[in-house]
Amino acid sequence: MSASNAQDQIELHKALAPRYAYRYSFEFSRLFQEDWHAEMLRLLPPRSRRVLDLGCGTGFFLAELAALRPGAVGLDISHAMLRVSEQYVPGARLVTADAERLPFVDRSFDAIFCKGSLHHTRDHVRFLSNCARVLEPDGVLIMSEPCNDNFLIRWARAVMYKVSPHFHPDDKGFMKDEIVELMERAGFELTYAGRYGVLAYLLAGFPDHLGVLKWVPGNAALVRRMIALDRWVCSKRFLRILSFQVVVAGKPRAPRA
Ligand SMILES: C[S@@+](CC[C@H](N)C(=O)[O-])C[C@H]1O[C@@H](n2cnc3c(N)ncnc32)[C@H](O)[C@@H]1O
């Protein structure tokens, strides 16, 4: 087992917190992020009431989740990120803690969302085992994580994580089969695996990294078209390799005593 990188992540995200507020400040980027959220939220079973956003960051997704499920809890290792969330989801139930050591009793939640936080941790099985522990036996874990199935994306991502000060060199994307195996090792049974995000992800998702759309007139309308095109690409067996994210859902495998 590798040592925790908790302190590194706290330092990194202290510096990143203001960038996230900037990222979500454009209509076109919010449009894209809301579509990404919808892709995950459609997997939430109607019966799920107690929900957790694990690695909620600045709370942009949590705000939508809390509107659907009042009382939704957000957890993040970075207090600096959580402080920004005040503007999106004032009065939310927030916890500063390490996802590898969740401070909740067993069976606390019906659903856990995790949008882009697993790949920041070192001990993925431990992270996921914690999720299994705090979920009800019929609960569901819904994750979206960087997909590395495409070798060009894998290579570009590896370079970016190594050279950019906005990432940690130990951050990593996942092959789809790899994330499925991790979930199985942590006691989950996979119930869904899909791909998400191509052009709109690249051009509208992160204006703090790639801001070209800021200067394009009618960018929101353009992003709507890109989202539709991306959905078509991700639905095609031989094209979905172009996607940047893998979206998976799973439930704890065996009923626990
Ligand atoms: C890429 S950001 C995603 C934030 C948010 N989910 C979003 O989509 O805007 C990853 C988040 O994971 C958090 N994180 C990293 N390691 C963590 C850990 N061990 N436990 C809890 N949160 C962690 C970071 O502080 C950061 O807020």
Side-chain angles (χ1 to χ4, degrees):
M1 290 291 153
S2 44
S4 167
N5 61 351
Q7 199 51 43
D8 284 1
Q9 288 294 327
I10 290 169
E11 290 307 321
L12 176 69
H13 285 90
K14 200 183 280 177
L16 292 185
R19 290 179 67 94
Y20 274 72
Y22 176 78
R23 176 179 300 177
Y24 298 134
S25 66
F26 300 93
E27 186 195 355
F28 73 84
S29 67
R30 285 198 303 273
L31 258 176
F32 166 73
Q33 294 286 343
E34 282 161 12
D35 185 73
W36 189 357
H37 298 169
E39 182 69 12
M40 297 178 73
L41 287 168
R42 74 187 177 86
L43 300 170
L44 177 66
R47 62 181 153 70
S48 302
R49 294 281 146 225
R50 297 166 303 156
V51 296
L52 171 67
D53 183 6
L54 194 50
C56 65
T58 53
F60 199 62
F61 176 74
L62 179 64
E64 280 188 52
L65 192 58
L68 280 176
R69 296 290 189 274
V73 179
L75 179 144
D76 203 281
I77 202 164
S78 163
H79 189 62
M81 293 288 273
L82 289 177
R83 282 181 62 185
V84 179
S85 70
E86 187 61 24
Q87 65 182 276
Y88 302 120
V89 53
R93 299 170 64 192
L94 301 174
V95 180
T96 309
D98 186 344
E100 293 183 30
R101 294 177 185 77
L102 287 180
F104 304 114
V105 297
D106 296 1
R107 303 173 62 158
S108 293
F109 297 100
D110 303 311
I112 298 177
F113 286 90
C114 166
K115 176 171 166 255
S117 47
L118 178 69
H119 73 283
H120 286 295
T121 60
R122 288 231 177 104
D123 193 336
H124 303 125
V125 173
R126 185 167 173 163
F127 179 116
L128 295 168
S129 303
N130 262 269
C131 292
R133 179 183 69 73
V134 303
L135 272 175
E136 285 287 0
D138 63 348
V140 61
L141 170 66
I142 300 160
M143 297 198 291
S144 182
E145 288 293 328
C147 184
N148 264 355
D149 284 354
N150 180 327
F151 83 93
L152 274 177
I153 293 177
R154 182 161 71 240
W155 173 81
R157 195 169 259 141
V159 172
M160 191 172 69
Y161 287 173
K162 289 272 176 288
V163 303
S164 167
H166 307 307
F167 295 91
H168 190 280
D170 291 345
D171 292 351
K172 70 182 287 290
F174 300 100
M175 309 289 278
K176 190 208 102 195
D177 289 349
E178 192 183 356
I179 203 162
V180 171
E181 193 203 319
L182 286 168
M183 286 179 74
E184 286 175 354
R185 280 175 59 199
F188 280 95
E189 182 185 318
L190 196 80
T191 54
Y192 174 82
R195 302 306 209 299
Y196 183 78
V198 190
L199 257 191
Y201 178 92
L202 189 64
L203 297 175
F206 311 93
D208 50 317
H209 292 292
L210 188 58
V212 64
L213 275 188
K214 278 183 295 197
W215 314 111
V216 177
N219 48 22
L222 198 60
V223 167
R224 278 196 192 91
R225 283 169 189 266
M226 286 184 199
I227 288 172
L229 178 67
D230 287 5
R231 285 201 179 280
W232 180 81
V233 168
C234 290
S235 73
K236 298 293 166 211
R237 193 166 163 211
F238 295 107
L239 292 179
R240 65 176 67 129
I241 188 88
L242 298 171
S243 57
F244 284 86
Q245 288 280 311
V246 56
V247 177
V248 289
K251 55 180 188 175
R253 199 183 301 119
R256 283 154 290 142

